[in-house]
């Protein structure tokens, strides 16, 4: 079976960096789809500026008509912190033995040992580390010892290997550089600068209509 990709985040707001990464991974790994899952109460960062309903609405506008991308609101419907292990457990019960690929950025991967029940993640999904090209002169980043031990022997020898089992492998996927972040988008909006081509047109209309990120 073709794997399903899982991309979580606050999406405050969703921007083309999120969307382009999801599409690149979907194509590169031949995923059946990528589910974008907005967090209700993110455990590792400050609370979002926009409400849960607003972030969900912007996500749905952003992926409308985009093949391979869909929005999954299950974390917004669950009380308490949005722990990834709980979300993957729900998805595993729903999707059975279909391969799941949890998409994480390099920084998130290096901090994986701080996640709730992080070692259980390998029993629920493959981990796909979205890797940006290093900056000139940037030193290689080493894995923390506990993480290095956990992933030893789990590195997939090809992207195709992810479709051969339900969970447990780790794969690094290079992505083209896009220097875009939700922080940058919010700062531009507060300063009255254009964010055209940083967010989708539908998302921008929603932001303007609801006067988001202007305070």
């Amino acid at each position: 079976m073709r794997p399903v990709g899982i991309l979580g985040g606050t999406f405050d707001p969703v921007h083309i960096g999120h969307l382009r990464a999801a599409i690149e991974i979907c194509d590169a790994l031949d995923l059946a789809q990528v589910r974008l899952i907005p967090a209700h109460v993110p455990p590792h960062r400050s609370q979002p500026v926009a409400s849960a309903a607003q972030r969900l609405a912007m996500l749905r506008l952003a992926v409308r008509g985009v093949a391979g991308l869909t929005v999954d609101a299950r974390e917004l419907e669950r009380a308490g912190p949005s722990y990834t292990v709980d979300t993957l457990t729900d998805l595993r019960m729903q999707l059975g033995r279909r391969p799941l690929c949890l998409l994480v950025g390099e920084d998130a991967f290096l901090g994986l040992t701080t996640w709730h029940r992080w070692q259980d993640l390998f029993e629920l999904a493959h981990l796909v580390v979205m890797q940006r090209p290093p900056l000139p002169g940037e030193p290689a980043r080493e894995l923390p010892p506990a993480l290095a031990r956990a992933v030893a022997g789990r590195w997939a020898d090809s992207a195709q290997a992810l479709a051969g089992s339900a969970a447990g492998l780790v794969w690094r996927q290079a992505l083209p550089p896009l220097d875009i972040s939700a922080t940058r988008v919010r700062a531009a909006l507060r300063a009255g600068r254009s964010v055209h081509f940083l967010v989708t047109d539908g998302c921008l209309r929603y932001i303007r209509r609801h006067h988001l990120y202007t305070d």
Side-chain angles (χ1 to χ4, degrees), residues 68-120:
L69 302 189
T70 188
V71 177
D72 187 322
R74 72 184 61 226
E75 289 189 358
L76 301 181
E77 298 164 356
R78 191 171 67 227
S82 300
Y83 292 128
T84 300
V85 67
D86 295 334
T87 300
L88 292 178
T89 299
D90 286 347
L91 285 165
R92 178 57 65 208
M93 293 176 63
Q94 176 186 350
L95 299 177
R97 297 298 296 170
R98 179 181 287 274
L100 298 178
C101 292
L102 176 63
L103 314 183
V104 297
E106 184 81 12
D107 288 342
F109 180 61
L110 292 174
L112 195 69
T113 58
T114 67
W115 291 28
H116 181 61
R117 292 172 50 199
W118 67 275
Q119 291 172 314
D120 292 343

Side-chain angles (χ1 to χ4, degrees), residues 172-183:
R172 289 186 186 272
Q173 181 64 45
L175 293 179
L178 279 176
D179 186 18
I180 303 169
S181 69
T183 300

